[in-house]
């Protein structure tokens, strides 16, 4: 894939490859699917984990440990969604304030107003910013899905209520 969509996918795959299951082997398949941007596979793994946690085969302490690991994973995803490293570096190289990576509107305006950039460079930065936003949105959705799985696992049948795995 080329263009903003392809850049977003590559950026997200790179970020997802940083996920860590810690010492919880049950999360490894989920993390492997996420790191390959296999969202269908990740959803299947989340469902499998939820089923495992809802079964009577799991002790309360194991269930809590898995819920805690899911919460940690959701926190990692949320943290990754806030990273703007690649875009910040590109902005710095272009002579723009790297902090603009955190403000899409100000960034778009700064790119337009940048006198030291030609149209091709401006377009490239705009595409990178767009890809970064798309990757950020996808990572936030993954974090929300993981958090929801954690909530559902903590309180099977009580969706919508806050669980003890919320920090």
């Amino acid at each position: 894939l080329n263009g903003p969509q392809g850049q977003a996918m590559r950026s997200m795959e790179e970020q997802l490859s940083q996920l860590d299951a810690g010492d919880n082997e049950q999360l490894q398949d989920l993390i492997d699917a996420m790191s390959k941007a296999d969202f269908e596979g990740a959803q299947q793994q989340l469902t499998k984990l939820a089923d495992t946690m809802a079964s009577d085969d799991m002790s309360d302490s194991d269930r809590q440990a898995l819920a805690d690991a899911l919460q940690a994973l959701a926190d990692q995803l949320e943290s990754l969604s806030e990273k703007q490293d690649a875009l910040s570096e590109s902005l710095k190289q272009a002579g723009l304030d790297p902090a603009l990576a955190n403000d899409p509107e100000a960034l778009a305006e700064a790119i337009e107003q940048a006198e030291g950039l030609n149209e091709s460079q401006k377009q490239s930065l705009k595409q990178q910013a767009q890809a970064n936003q798309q990757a950020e949105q996808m990572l936030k959705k993954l974090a929300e899905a993981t958090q929801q799985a954690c909530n559902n696992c903590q309180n099977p049948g009580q969706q919508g209520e806050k669980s003890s795995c919320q920090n």
Side-chain angles (χ1 to χ4, degrees), residues 75-93:
D75 292 344
Q76 286 181 62
L77 288 166
E78 185 65 33
S79 176
L80 285 176
S81 76
E82 295 169 1
K83 275 189 164 183
Q84 309 287 336
D85 297 344
L87 181 58
S88 294
E89 184 60 32
S90 292
L91 292 173
K92 187 176 177 181
Q93 289 175 359

Side-chain angles (χ1 to χ4, degrees), residues 3 12 39 64 74 82 88 116:
M12 190 170 55
F39 303 117
Q64 185 60 47
E82 295 169 1
S88 294

Side-chain angles (χ1 to χ4, degrees), residues 26-94:
Q26 291 178 298
L27 289 184
Q28 197 56 55
D29 289 338
L30 172 62
I31 289 176
D32 289 345
M34 285 182 176
S35 68
K36 296 174 186 163
D38 175 8
F39 303 117
E40 187 175 313
Q43 184 60 47
Q44 289 172 354
Q45 289 302 319
L46 279 172
T47 301
K48 183 179 170 184
L49 287 170
D51 291 346
T52 299
M53 289 182 79
S55 77
D56 292 334
D57 296 339
M58 186 174 249
S59 71
D60 287 344
S61 63
D62 287 345
R63 187 174 289 113
Q64 185 60 47
L66 185 53
D68 291 345
L70 279 169
Q71 179 62 49
L73 179 59
D75 292 344
Q76 286 181 62
L77 288 166
E78 185 65 33
S79 176
L80 285 176
S81 76
E82 295 169 1
K83 275 189 164 183
Q84 309 287 336
D85 297 344
L87 181 58
S88 294
E89 184 60 32
S90 292
L91 292 173
K92 187 176 177 181
Q93 289 175 359

Side-chain angles (χ1 to χ4, degrees), residues 82-154:
E82 295 169 1
K83 275 189 164 183
Q84 309 287 336
D85 297 344
L87 181 58
S88 294
E89 184 60 32
S90 292
L91 292 173
K92 187 176 177 181
Q93 289 175 359
L96 297 173
D97 182 0
L100 289 169
N102 298 317
D103 186 348
E105 289 177 22
L107 174 59
E109 188 175 324
I111 291 171
E112 280 303 316
Q113 311 252 329
E115 294 177 7
L117 301 176
N118 63 37
E119 284 306 309
S120 175
Q121 290 169 319
K122 288 180 182 182
Q123 187 62 32
S124 177
L125 281 173
K126 286 179 192 177
Q127 285 180 342
Q128 188 174 1
Q130 183 181 7
N132 205 55
Q133 279 186 299
Q134 289 173 346
E136 179 181 343
Q137 290 168 353
M138 288 184 239
L139 286 167
K140 282 185 179 183
K141 286 180 184 179
L142 279 173
E144 289 168 8
T146 304
Q147 180 65 52
Q148 185 62 44
C150 175
N151 291 343
N152 292 344
C153 292
Q154 283 292 100

